[in-house]
Amino acid sequence: MSVRILVIDDDKTYRTLLSQTFADYEVSVASSGEEGLQKAIELKPHVILLDIVMAGMDGYATCSELRKIEHLRHTPIVFISNLSSSDCRLKAFEIGANEYVCKTTHPNELKDKVVAILDADHDYFEAHADIVQKESLLLDLQRQNACMKSIGLFMQATHYCSDLEVLQKIFINTLNALGLRAIIHFKNRALFRSTSGCVAKLEHEMLLHHEDFERVHQFDHGPMVFNWRSSILLVKNVGELSDICAHVMDALELAISNLNRRAEMVEQILSIEKTNKEILASLKETKSKSNTTLKQQLFDSGLISQFDLQDENDLDELIASSSDELVGMVEAFGDNAERISAILGSLKKPPQELRFLFKESASNADTTLF
Protein backbone atom coordinates (compact mmCIF):
# COMPACT_ATOMS: atom_id res chain seq x y z
CA MET A 1 0.00 0.00 0.00
CA SER A 2 1.46 3.39 -1.04
CA VAL A 3 1.93 6.08 1.60
CA ARG A 4 -0.31 9.12 1.10
CA ILE A 5 1.09 12.54 1.98
CA LEU A 6 -1.01 15.71 1.98
CA VAL A 7 0.77 19.08 1.62
CA ILE A 8 -1.25 22.14 2.72
CA ASP A 9 0.59 25.38 1.82
CA ASP A 10 -0.39 28.55 -0.02
CA ASP A 11 3.13 28.90 -1.46
CA LYS A 12 3.07 27.24 -4.88
CA THR A 13 6.88 27.05 -5.11
CA TYR A 14 7.17 25.27 -1.76
CA ARG A 15 4.33 22.92 -2.67
CA THR A 16 6.29 21.95 -5.79
CA LEU A 17 9.47 21.46 -3.76
CA LEU A 18 7.72 19.15 -1.31
CA SER A 19 6.08 17.20 -4.17
CA GLN A 20 9.55 16.60 -5.65
CA THR A 21 11.06 15.74 -2.25
CA PHE A 22 8.44 13.07 -1.62
CA ALA A 23 8.16 11.87 -5.21
CA ASP A 24 8.46 8.26 -4.01
CA TYR A 25 5.11 8.64 -2.25
CA GLU A 26 1.57 9.49 -3.27
CA VAL A 27 1.51 13.27 -2.75
CA SER A 28 -1.60 15.46 -2.82
CA VAL A 29 -1.52 19.25 -2.41
CA ALA A 30 -3.89 21.95 -1.19
CA SER A 31 -3.39 25.71 -1.40
CA SER A 32 -5.50 26.68 1.61
CA GLY A 33 -6.59 25.42 4.99
CA GLU A 34 -10.17 24.98 3.80
CA GLU A 35 -9.10 22.95 0.76
CA GLY A 36 -6.66 20.94 2.86
CA LEU A 37 -9.35 20.06 5.39
CA GLN A 38 -11.67 18.79 2.67
CA LYS A 39 -8.92 16.74 0.97
CA ALA A 40 -7.80 15.28 4.30
CA ILE A 41 -11.35 14.05 4.93
CA GLU A 42 -11.56 12.48 1.46
CA LEU A 43 -8.01 11.07 1.07
CA LYS A 44 -7.27 9.96 4.66
CA PRO A 45 -3.54 10.68 4.32
CA HIS A 46 -0.89 8.92 6.36
CA VAL A 47 0.84 12.24 7.16
CA ILE A 48 -0.03 15.92 6.69
CA LEU A 49 2.58 18.63 6.03
CA LEU A 50 0.99 21.92 7.13
CA ASP A 51 2.05 25.55 6.74
CA ILE A 52 1.04 28.04 9.46
CA VAL A 53 0.74 31.40 7.78
CA MET A 54 -1.94 31.13 5.09
CA ALA A 55 -4.74 33.37 3.87
CA GLY A 56 -8.13 32.47 5.33
CA MET A 57 -7.85 29.50 7.71
CA ASP A 58 -4.32 29.44 9.05
CA GLY A 59 -2.36 26.33 9.98
CA TYR A 60 -3.34 26.42 13.66
CA ALA A 61 -7.06 26.55 12.87
CA THR A 62 -6.67 23.88 10.22
CA CYS A 63 -4.89 21.57 12.68
CA SER A 64 -7.60 22.12 15.31
CA GLU A 65 -10.30 21.22 12.79
CA LEU A 66 -8.40 18.15 11.61
CA ARG A 67 -8.16 16.85 15.18
CA LYS A 68 -11.96 17.05 15.53
CA ILE A 69 -12.42 14.45 12.75
CA GLU A 70 -12.50 10.92 14.15
CA HIS A 71 -10.39 9.17 11.51
CA LEU A 72 -7.81 12.01 11.55
CA ARG A 73 -7.37 12.27 15.34
CA HIS A 74 -4.11 10.32 15.26
CA THR A 75 -2.83 11.21 11.78
CA PRO A 76 0.70 12.70 12.11
CA ILE A 77 0.76 16.46 11.38
CA VAL A 78 4.07 18.18 10.68
CA PHE A 79 4.07 21.98 10.81
CA ILE A 80 6.46 23.51 8.23
CA SER A 81 6.83 27.25 8.73
CA ASN A 82 9.17 30.22 8.58
CA LEU A 83 8.05 31.06 12.12
CA SER A 84 10.71 29.82 14.52
CA SER A 85 9.81 31.26 17.92
CA SER A 86 9.31 28.96 20.88
CA ASP A 87 5.78 30.31 21.35
CA CYS A 88 4.85 29.22 17.82
CA ARG A 89 6.29 25.76 18.42
CA LEU A 90 4.53 25.45 21.80
CA LYS A 91 1.18 26.47 20.32
CA ALA A 92 1.62 23.94 17.51
CA PHE A 93 2.15 21.08 19.94
CA GLU A 94 -0.72 22.25 22.17
CA ILE A 95 -3.23 21.93 19.32
CA GLY A 96 -2.00 18.47 18.26
CA ALA A 97 1.06 18.74 15.99
CA ASN A 98 3.55 15.87 15.97
CA GLU A 99 6.57 17.79 14.65
CA TYR A 100 7.64 21.34 13.85
CA VAL A 101 10.15 22.02 11.07
CA CYS A 102 11.44 25.31 9.73
CA LYS A 103 11.16 25.87 5.99
CA THR A 104 14.86 26.54 5.88
CA THR A 105 15.51 22.89 6.76
CA HIS A 106 17.14 20.94 3.94
CA PRO A 107 14.58 18.84 2.02
CA ASN A 108 16.51 15.63 2.68
CA GLU A 109 16.52 16.32 6.42
CA LEU A 110 12.79 17.04 6.25
CA LYS A 111 12.24 13.81 4.38
CA ASP A 112 14.18 11.87 7.04
CA LYS A 113 12.01 13.37 9.78
CA VAL A 114 8.79 12.48 7.94
CA VAL A 115 9.99 8.92 7.24
CA ALA A 116 10.87 8.53 10.94
CA ILE A 117 7.41 9.78 11.90
CA LEU A 118 5.76 7.38 9.45
CA ASP A 119 7.81 4.46 10.78
CA ALA A 120 6.97 5.34 14.39
CA ASP A 121 3.33 5.79 13.49
CA HIS A 122 3.28 2.42 11.72
CA ASP A 123 4.91 0.75 14.72
CA TYR A 124 2.44 2.43 17.08
CA PHE A 125 -0.64 1.34 15.16
CA GLU A 126 0.76 -2.14 14.64
CA ALA A 127 1.38 -2.45 18.40
CA HIS A 128 -2.02 -0.92 19.12
CA ALA A 129 -3.72 -3.36 16.76
CA ASP A 130 -1.87 -6.22 18.44
CA ILE A 131 -3.02 -4.99 21.87
CA VAL A 132 -6.61 -4.64 20.64
CA GLN A 133 -6.49 -8.14 19.17
CA LYS A 134 -5.11 -9.60 22.40
CA GLU A 135 -7.66 -7.72 24.49
CA SER A 136 -10.40 -9.04 22.24
CA LEU A 137 -9.01 -12.56 22.56
CA LEU A 138 -8.83 -12.18 26.35
CA LEU A 139 -12.43 -10.98 26.50
CA ASP A 140 -13.49 -13.92 24.33
CA LEU A 141 -11.65 -16.32 26.64
CA GLN A 142 -13.26 -14.73 29.68
CA ARG A 143 -16.69 -15.03 28.08
CA GLN A 144 -15.97 -18.64 27.13
CA ASN A 145 -14.79 -19.42 30.66
CA ALA A 146 -17.92 -17.82 32.14
CA CYS A 147 -20.11 -19.82 29.77
CA MET A 148 -18.29 -23.07 30.49
CA LYS A 149 -18.60 -22.37 34.22
CA SER A 150 -22.38 -22.01 33.78
CA ILE A 151 -22.47 -25.34 31.94
CA GLY A 152 -20.35 -26.92 34.68
CA LEU A 153 -22.75 -25.69 37.37
CA PHE A 154 -25.65 -27.04 35.33
CA MET A 155 -24.02 -30.48 35.09
CA GLN A 156 -23.42 -30.50 38.86
CA ALA A 157 -27.02 -29.48 39.53
CA THR A 158 -28.40 -32.30 37.38
CA HIS A 159 -27.20 -34.80 40.01
CA TYR A 160 -29.79 -33.33 42.37
CA CYS A 161 -32.72 -33.48 39.95
CA SER A 162 -35.59 -35.68 41.07
CA ASP A 163 -37.53 -35.51 37.80
CA LEU A 164 -37.73 -33.95 34.36
CA GLU A 165 -39.66 -30.90 35.57
CA VAL A 166 -36.83 -29.95 37.92
CA LEU A 167 -34.26 -30.62 35.18
CA GLN A 168 -36.14 -28.32 32.85
CA LYS A 169 -36.19 -25.59 35.51
CA ILE A 170 -32.42 -25.62 36.06
CA PHE A 171 -31.85 -25.75 32.29
CA ILE A 172 -33.91 -22.58 31.79
CA ASN A 173 -32.03 -20.86 34.62
CA THR A 174 -28.76 -21.86 32.93
CA LEU A 175 -29.94 -20.35 29.64
CA ASN A 176 -30.80 -17.14 31.50
CA ALA A 177 -27.33 -17.11 33.06
CA LEU A 178 -25.89 -17.35 29.54
CA GLY A 179 -28.06 -14.43 28.40
CA LEU A 180 -29.98 -16.54 25.88
CA ARG A 181 -33.60 -16.04 24.87
CA ALA A 182 -34.76 -19.56 24.12
CA ILE A 183 -37.40 -22.29 24.28
CA ILE A 184 -36.75 -25.94 25.16
CA HIS A 185 -38.99 -28.87 24.32
CA PHE A 186 -38.48 -32.44 25.50
CA LYS A 187 -39.49 -34.71 22.65
CA ASN A 188 -42.37 -37.17 23.15
CA ARG A 189 -43.44 -35.22 26.25
CA ALA A 190 -45.84 -32.33 26.67
CA LEU A 191 -43.13 -30.19 28.24
CA PHE A 192 -42.27 -26.74 26.86
CA ARG A 193 -40.37 -24.09 28.75
CA SER A 194 -39.22 -20.61 27.74
CA THR A 195 -36.78 -18.13 29.27
CA SER A 196 -39.50 -15.51 28.81
CA GLY A 197 -42.11 -17.57 30.62
CA CYS A 198 -44.33 -18.01 27.58
CA VAL A 199 -44.26 -20.00 24.35
CA ALA A 200 -45.99 -18.59 21.27
CA LYS A 201 -48.28 -20.89 19.31
CA LEU A 202 -46.06 -20.75 16.22
CA GLU A 203 -42.99 -21.68 18.27
CA HIS A 204 -44.92 -24.49 19.95
CA GLU A 205 -46.05 -25.96 16.63
CA MET A 206 -42.62 -25.57 15.06
CA LEU A 207 -40.82 -27.43 17.87
CA LEU A 208 -43.39 -30.23 17.74
CA HIS A 209 -42.29 -30.90 14.16
CA HIS A 210 -38.66 -31.43 15.15
CA GLU A 211 -38.19 -34.04 12.43
CA ASP A 212 -38.23 -31.15 9.92
CA PHE A 213 -34.89 -29.82 11.20
CA GLU A 214 -31.35 -31.09 10.83
CA ARG A 215 -29.14 -31.27 13.93
CA VAL A 216 -28.32 -27.54 13.80
CA HIS A 217 -30.52 -25.27 11.72
CA GLN A 218 -30.16 -21.51 11.33
CA PHE A 219 -32.88 -19.26 10.00
CA ASP A 220 -32.00 -16.44 7.62
CA HIS A 221 -32.85 -13.81 10.23
CA GLY A 222 -30.55 -15.21 12.91
CA PRO A 223 -32.31 -17.67 15.29
CA MET A 224 -30.99 -21.22 15.50
CA VAL A 225 -32.51 -24.61 16.30
CA PHE A 226 -30.47 -27.30 18.07
CA ASN A 227 -32.17 -30.61 17.40
CA TRP A 228 -30.73 -33.27 19.73
CA ARG A 229 -31.99 -36.83 20.34
CA SER A 230 -34.19 -36.19 23.38
CA SER A 231 -34.80 -32.46 23.17
CA ILE A 232 -34.94 -29.51 20.80
CA LEU A 233 -33.86 -25.95 21.57
CA LEU A 234 -34.82 -22.74 19.77
CA VAL A 235 -32.44 -19.83 20.50
CA LYS A 236 -33.49 -16.40 19.30
CA ASN A 237 -30.28 -14.47 20.04
CA VAL A 238 -27.57 -17.08 19.54
CA GLY A 239 -24.96 -14.55 18.35
CA GLU A 240 -21.48 -15.99 18.86
CA LEU A 241 -22.68 -18.63 21.33
CA SER A 242 -23.58 -21.39 18.87
CA ASP A 243 -20.79 -23.63 20.20
CA ILE A 244 -21.87 -22.93 23.78
CA CYS A 245 -25.46 -23.84 22.87
CA ALA A 246 -24.22 -27.14 21.44
CA HIS A 247 -22.24 -27.84 24.63
CA VAL A 248 -25.18 -27.10 26.90
CA MET A 249 -27.40 -29.36 24.77
CA ASP A 250 -24.83 -32.15 25.12
CA ALA A 251 -24.95 -31.63 28.89
CA LEU A 252 -28.75 -31.73 28.82
CA GLU A 253 -28.76 -34.98 26.84
CA LEU A 254 -26.40 -36.56 29.37
CA ALA A 255 -28.59 -35.37 32.23
CA ILE A 256 -31.74 -36.79 30.61
CA SER A 257 -29.99 -40.11 30.02
CA ASN A 258 -28.81 -40.26 33.64
CA LEU A 259 -32.26 -39.32 34.91
CA ASN A 260 -33.87 -42.07 32.81
CA ARG A 261 -31.33 -44.65 34.00
CA ARG A 262 -31.89 -43.61 37.60
CA ALA A 263 -35.66 -43.94 37.19
CA GLU A 264 -35.24 -47.39 35.65
CA MET A 265 -32.98 -48.48 38.53
CA VAL A 266 -35.44 -47.22 41.13
CA GLU A 267 -38.25 -49.03 39.32
CA GLN A 268 -36.23 -52.26 39.23
CA ILE A 269 -35.29 -51.96 42.91
CA LEU A 270 -38.89 -51.34 43.90
CA SER A 271 -39.97 -54.35 41.82
CA ILE A 272 -37.33 -56.52 43.49
CA GLU A 273 -38.37 -55.22 46.89
CA LYS A 274 -42.01 -56.04 46.19
CA THR A 275 -41.07 -59.56 45.01
CA ASN A 276 -38.93 -60.09 48.12
CA LYS A 277 -41.80 -59.12 50.39
CA GLU A 278 -44.08 -61.57 48.59
CA ILE A 279 -41.45 -64.34 48.87
CA LEU A 280 -40.91 -63.54 52.55
CA ALA A 281 -44.61 -63.69 53.32
CA SER A 282 -44.87 -67.01 51.46
CA LEU A 283 -41.84 -68.41 53.29
CA LYS A 284 -43.21 -67.47 56.67
CA GLU A 285 -46.56 -69.08 55.88
CA THR A 286 -44.83 -72.19 54.50
CA LYS A 287 -42.56 -72.35 57.54
CA SER A 288 -45.48 -72.29 59.97
CA LYS A 289 -47.36 -74.97 58.09
CA SER A 290 -44.20 -77.12 57.74
CA ASN A 291 -43.46 -76.95 61.45
CA THR A 292 -46.94 -78.13 62.36
CA THR A 293 -46.94 -80.87 59.71
CA LEU A 294 -43.50 -82.18 60.69
CA LYS A 295 -44.45 -82.40 64.36
CA GLN A 296 -47.62 -84.25 63.54
CA GLN A 297 -45.76 -86.68 61.29
CA LEU A 298 -43.30 -87.45 64.10
CA PHE A 299 -46.14 -88.22 66.49
CA ASP A 300 -48.05 -90.28 63.90
CA SER A 301 -44.98 -92.33 63.02
CA GLY A 302 -44.63 -93.54 66.59
CA LEU A 303 -40.96 -92.52 66.65
CA ILE A 304 -41.82 -90.01 69.30
CA SER A 305 -44.62 -91.00 71.60
CA GLN A 306 -44.62 -88.40 74.32
CA PHE A 307 -42.99 -85.12 75.16
CA ASP A 308 -42.80 -83.04 78.21
CA LEU A 309 -43.09 -79.31 77.75
CA GLN A 310 -39.34 -78.70 77.54
CA ASP A 311 -38.78 -81.43 74.96
CA GLU A 312 -41.54 -80.07 72.80
CA ASN A 313 -39.99 -76.60 72.86
CA ASP A 314 -36.63 -78.09 71.88
CA LEU A 315 -38.28 -79.90 69.00
CA ASP A 316 -39.95 -76.70 67.82
CA GLU A 317 -36.61 -74.89 67.83
CA LEU A 318 -34.94 -77.75 65.96
CA ILE A 319 -37.58 -77.74 63.25
CA ALA A 320 -37.62 -73.95 62.94
CA SER A 321 -33.84 -73.60 62.64
CA SER A 322 -33.87 -75.30 59.25
CA SER A 323 -35.91 -72.48 57.69
CA ASP A 324 -34.99 -69.50 59.87
CA GLU A 325 -31.69 -68.95 58.08
CA LEU A 326 -33.35 -68.70 54.66
CA VAL A 327 -36.04 -66.37 55.98
CA GLY A 328 -33.35 -64.19 57.57
CA MET A 329 -31.45 -63.91 54.28
CA VAL A 330 -34.56 -62.81 52.41
CA GLU A 331 -35.42 -60.29 55.11
CA ALA A 332 -31.88 -58.85 54.99
CA PHE A 333 -32.01 -58.60 51.21
CA GLY A 334 -35.31 -56.80 51.47
CA ASP A 335 -33.78 -54.26 53.86
CA ASN A 336 -30.87 -53.68 51.46
CA ALA A 337 -33.31 -53.12 48.61
CA GLU A 338 -35.13 -50.49 50.65
CA ARG A 339 -31.88 -48.69 51.44
CA ILE A 340 -30.76 -48.71 47.78
CA SER A 341 -34.16 -47.48 46.71
CA ALA A 342 -33.96 -44.64 49.23
CA ILE A 343 -30.52 -43.58 47.93
CA LEU A 344 -31.62 -43.57 44.29
CA GLY A 345 -35.14 -42.29 44.76
CA SER A 346 -34.68 -39.43 47.21
CA LEU A 347 -31.91 -36.91 46.46
CA LYS A 348 -30.11 -34.74 48.96
CA LYS A 349 -30.53 -30.97 48.87
CA PRO A 350 -28.17 -29.25 46.42
CA PRO A 351 -25.25 -27.28 47.90
CA GLN A 352 -25.61 -23.54 48.44
CA GLU A 353 -23.74 -22.55 45.26
CA LEU A 354 -26.23 -24.49 43.09
CA ARG A 355 -29.53 -23.52 44.72
CA PHE A 356 -30.10 -20.49 42.49
CA LEU A 357 -30.59 -22.91 39.57
CA PHE A 358 -33.51 -24.58 41.33
CA LYS A 359 -35.48 -21.37 41.85
CA GLU A 360 -38.31 -20.34 39.59
CA SER A 361 -36.84 -17.97 37.03
CA ALA A 362 -38.32 -14.50 36.80
CA SER A 363 -39.93 -14.33 33.36
CA ASN A 364 -39.37 -11.28 31.21
CA ALA A 365 -41.79 -9.69 28.79
CA ASP A 366 -40.11 -11.00 25.65
CA THR A 367 -42.74 -12.50 23.38
CA THR A 368 -40.89 -11.86 20.14
CA LEU A 369 -41.18 -14.72 17.68
CA PHE A 370 -37.71 -15.92 16.62
Side-chain angles (χ1 to χ4, degrees), residues 13-60:
T13 302
Y14 201 70
R15 290 200 307 269
T16 302
L17 174 63
L18 291 181
S19 296
Q20 294 172 349
T21 301
F22 295 97
D24 296 338
Y25 301 96
E26 184 181 325
V27 180
S28 298
V29 297
S31 59
S32 67
E34 293 84 355
E35 183 186 3
L37 184 63
Q38 186 61 40
K39 285 195 173 183
I41 294 172
E42 295 173 358
L43 300 175
K44 299 178 182 178
H46 294 97
V47 65
I48 297 173
L49 308 181
L50 178 60
D51 187 18
I52 294 178
V53 180
M54 295 184 292
M57 183 184 291
D58 66 11
Y60 294 131

Side-chain angles (χ1 to χ4, degrees), residues 126-363:
E126 195 172 64
H128 180 70
D130 185 56
I131 291 172
V132 170
Q133 183 180 17
K134 288 179 178 177
E135 286 178 346
S136 177
L137 179 60
L138 180 60
L139 288 174
D140 286 342
L141 288 173
Q142 290 174 339
R143 281 193 293 267
Q144 290 283 338
N145 286 337
C147 291
M148 295 309 294
K149 181 180 178 181
S150 294
I151 295 175
L153 291 174
F154 168 73
M155 294 181 72
Q156 292 179 50
T158 61
H159 295 293
Y160 300 91
C161 287
S162 55
D163 55 44
L164 206 56
E165 283 283 2
V166 177
L167 177 60
Q168 199 173 36
K169 182 189 300 182
I170 68 169
F171 184 73
I172 287 296
N173 285 331
T174 299
L175 294 179
N176 281 324
L178 292 169
L180 296 172
R181 295 186 292 113
I183 301 159
I184 184 68
H185 167 51
F186 290 107
K187 297 176 181 178
N188 304 321
R189 298 171 188 263
L191 287 175
F192 289 83
R193 194 82 176 254
S194 169
T195 53
S196 68
C198 61
V199 181
K201 184 177 180 181
L202 175 59
E203 296 165 341
H204 183 280
E205 293 297 324
M206 184 184 68
L207 293 180
L208 281 177
H209 294 86
H210 49 78
E211 66 277 358
D212 295 338
F213 297 103
E214 56 268 34
R215 183 173 172 82
V216 177
H217 177 87
Q218 183 161 24
F219 295 93
D220 292 337
H221 45 295
M224 293 184 73
V225 169
F226 298 85
N227 189 16
W228 264 232
R229 185 175 62 84
S230 303
S231 57
I232 182 169
L233 176 71
L234 169 64
V235 183
K236 303 177 186 180
N237 62 330
V238 67
E240 298 179 354
L241 296 180
S242 58
D243 289 342
I244 294 299
C245 291
H247 287 316
V248 79
M249 285 296 284
D250 287 339
L252 178 62
E253 284 293 309
L254 180 60
I256 293 172
S257 177
N258 290 337
L259 196 61
N260 289 337
R261 282 200 298 269
R262 187 184 303 150
E264 291 172 0
M265 290 177 66
V266 170
E267 186 178 349
Q268 291 175 11
I269 291 294
L270 292 176
S271 176
I272 292 171
E273 186 180 343
K274 180 181 177 183
T275 301
N276 286 344
K277 287 180 179 179
E278 292 173 353
I279 292 173
L280 182 60
S282 177
L283 275 175
K284 287 181 177 180
E285 183 181 355
T286 302
K287 172 190 170 185
S288 177
K289 290 180 179 178
S290 297
N291 289 352
T292 302
T293 302
L294 181 56
K295 247 170 87 171
Q296 187 60 47
Q297 287 176 348
L298 288 173
F299 283 122
D300 292 344
S301 67
L303 295 174
I304 299 176
S305 57
Q306 188 177 3
F307 291 94
D308 59 25
L309 183 59
Q310 182 58 44
D311 292 336
E312 186 170 352
N313 288 339
D314 291 343
L315 180 61
D316 287 340
E317 290 178 9
L318 179 63
I319 295 171
S321 64
S322 63
S323 57
D324 282 347
E325 185 176 352
L326 179 59
V327 170
M329 289 174 61
V330 176
E331 285 179 338
F333 188 73
D335 292 341
N336 289 335
E338 289 179 1
R339 286 194 290 270
I340 294 172
S341 177
I343 292 171
L344 294 175
S346 60
L347 298 170
K348 298 177 183 178
K349 289 183 178 180
Q352 186 65 38
E353 64 269 18
L354 297 177
R355 290 181 187 172
F356 74 98
L357 288 172
F358 291 81
K359 296 178 180 179
E360 283 295 338
S361 58
S363 61

